[in-house]
Amino acid sequence: MSEETKPNEEFSHDDREPEVGDVAAPMWLMGMLIVLLWFGLMFLDRRAGGFDAKVYRPYPSLAFVEGLSVTDPPQISRGRALYMVNCAGCHQASGAGVAGQFPPLAGSDWVTAAKPDRLVRIAMNGLKGPIHVNETPFNEAGTAVMLSVGSDNKFNAEQMADILSYIRAGKEFGNGAPMVAPGDITDAMSAAEARGKSQWTEAELLAIPVD
Amino acid sequence: MNRGPLLFIGAFFALSLSWFAMILSPQLQIGSQNPADALDLGYRHPAPAPGDAQAGLQVYRSAGCVYCHSQQVQQSGIEFDVALTKAGIFTDDVVKEIMKVNPLLGGAVIRNGVANTNGFIFLRDVNRAEAAWAVDRVNKVGGNVETAVIPKPTGSDISLGWGARRSVARDYLYDYPVQLGSQRIGPDLTNIGNRRPDADWHYKHLYAPRSVVPESPMPQYGYLFEKRAKGAEPSADALVLEDSEAGHGDGGFEIVPTKEARQLVAYLLSLRNGPRIFETPMPKQSKPKTDAAPAPEVASAQ
């Protein structure tokens, strides 16, 4: 109690500003902050939906919402199922192909052509020899051969139309070409079925009009 | 103080960091949204509210409704139904496959459902992986079989009927200021226009809340109504109240809503939990008979 009057006097004599010396920040604190930052970023990465304006809780990502909202036409979803079994092994699920060996389907000028007549023949009877896609050569050595996938599986016109619709109009490939109806490819299908299991070459295919 | 500039820089950095995180990044994220296509209904969502309803928002604001009512539907999860939309040609195989997918349904129900096909839901309330598995199983039958996965929002707000889906930023484009609210002393009002489409109910409820909801703690908004002496004929828009409800024993008066009350009710009736848009996967909605957007029925504008 007796000290109550004293402190002010003591401090009032000292007019100096308080000063900070050089003190190193403790390393454990730095480490803890870094760990906290890491947890925070992990949390955002998992929960923030990529900061996309179209993603809200409880949806984890834009792809998830897209998968729920945009319902594919039935041809596309059936075509996807057939593609995954029969085509994705070489051309990849993304349609990107393998450089120099298996040509891409995504963005390919063969796929986006106005008429699917060449595509039907390739898918049914297969392809051998070198081929140019978007001016880029593939299979220059001519060693790789595309088998007669369609003939081997005895695809009918509906199944072929589903597959071609998927690679032309499926959103995974971004080709944006129109879908294919079974009625559009009856001629090409009968020609391909007659040909059986002998593969086409690029020169033979280019003789077939697609405009 | 020998570290003034350092302190200043530190404080400036901390404040500007919060500005970047809390102001700038949300602005970049959702600051330039536009009305979106409602996926089923053929109109843009949201649509601007009618004039009375816009004025009603300001009445809502001045009456302080936001202190007890929220306008945000929350969603905690999503469940899926799987429906058969087309049985295709191998109906027997489809029946067998569905029996394996969901044996609890029973053979008779499945056969009947496959025969009628039209949106036969054979699996309910499953998660996404289970729904995808079921779709795979049935689609493998082939023969032009078609299935559909129906996403259904879940959560306590949704099971209370406060909305069919969660609220998203786009829903509030035309609200200024946005009346989100943080208290739920009263129910959420996001969907009140669908839940209580009757304007007379709202007038009664505003004037004498306990006349329609006996347990309601809501205050009376008598100042939104005019009490005037009865003429020879009752006014067309006078409230139909029991004397005891109105709190006026003599019965020589009638209670008439003012302009503000009409605007507020028009606003309440315009509050509808929005349609299916991209951000909110939910079951398809049936299209209304007319092509135009379903305009809120503003019964007050007589």
Side-chain angles (χ1 to χ4, degrees), chain A residues 17-23 48-59 62-71 74-75 77-78 81 158 162, chain B residues 1-3 25 29-30 33 39 74-78 80 86 128 139 144-146 149 151 153 166-170 276-282 284:
Chain A
E17 282 275 338
E19 287 191 357
V20 185
D22 289 325
V23 181
F51 288 100
D52 196 290
K54 289 180 163 177
V55 181
Y56 289 85
R57 208 176 70 89
Y59 307 111
L62 186 63
F64 188 96
V65 184
E66 259 173 357
L68 297 176
S69 290
V70 185
T71 47
Q75 296 97 303
S77 57
R78 288 197 303 260
E158 282 79 21
D162 289 345
Chain B
M1 199 168 77
N2 57 342
R3 294 285 172 87
S25 70
Q29 193 186 7
I30 55 173
Q33 289 202 320
L39 294 177
Q74 318 243 338
Q75 178 181 338
S76 61
I78 186 161
F80 300 89
K86 199 171 155 195
R128 197 187 188 212
N139 277 353
N144 287 342
V145 64
E146 279 170 27
V149 176
R166 63 158 302 142
S167 303
V168 296
R170 213 190 289 276
R276 188 170 77 109
I277 54 178
F278 177 87
E279 294 97 306
T280 58
M282 58 192 276
K284 273 192 182 167

Side-chain angles (χ1 to χ4, degrees), chain A residues 76-87:
Chain A
I76 299 278
S77 57
R78 288 197 303 260
R80 181 184 292 115
L82 287 167
Y83 178 89
M84 289 306 166
V85 175
N86 296 297
C87 318

Side-chain angles (χ1 to χ4, degrees), chain A residues 136-180:
Chain A
T136 310
F138 283 84
N139 190 23
E140 280 179 297
T143 48
V145 171
M146 176 178 165
L147 299 174
S148 312
V149 179
S151 294
D152 288 347
N153 292 293
K154 298 196 166 46
F155 283 158
N156 59 27
E158 282 79 21
Q159 289 169 314
M160 187 52 65
D162 289 345
I163 295 181
L164 297 188
S165 296
Y166 174 61
I167 64 173
R168 281 162 67 87
K171 58 177 184 284
E172 289 92 334
F173 299 102
N175 285 331
M179 296 208 293
V180 178

Side-chain angles (χ1 to χ4, degrees), chain B residues 64-150:
Chain B
C65 305
V66 73
Y67 298 119
C68 295
H69 292 284
S70 60
Q71 282 188 32
Q72 44 180 330
V73 177
Q74 318 243 338
Q75 178 181 338
S76 61
I78 186 161
E79 286 177 345
F80 300 89
D81 286 352
V82 186
L84 184 75
T85 48
K86 199 171 155 195
I89 46 181
F90 307 129
T91 47
D92 288 349
D93 294 337
V94 171
V95 169
K96 273 184 209 156
E97 227 26 78
I98 293 179
M99 269 181 186
K100 287 179 203 158
V101 168
N102 189 2
L104 298 177
L105 269 185
V109 176
I110 294 174
R111 269 189 292 277
N112 195 18
V114 172
N116 293 320
T117 304
N118 201 0
F120 165 52
I121 295 175
F122 59 86
L123 196 59
R124 284 182 188 278
D125 307 341
V126 294
N127 66 30
R128 197 187 188 212
E130 288 167 327
W133 170 80
V135 164
D136 266 10
R137 288 293 295 260
V138 176
N139 277 353
K140 263 183 197 151
V141 173
N144 287 342
V145 64
E146 279 170 27
T147 47
V149 176
I150 305 165

Side-chain angles (χ1 to χ4, degrees), chain A residues 18 21 34 47 91 96 100-101 110 121 153 157 165 186:
Chain A
I34 288 170
R47 306 280 195 105
H91 292 290
Q101 201 174 8
W110 290 81
R121 288 173 168 84
N153 292 293
S165 296
T186 42

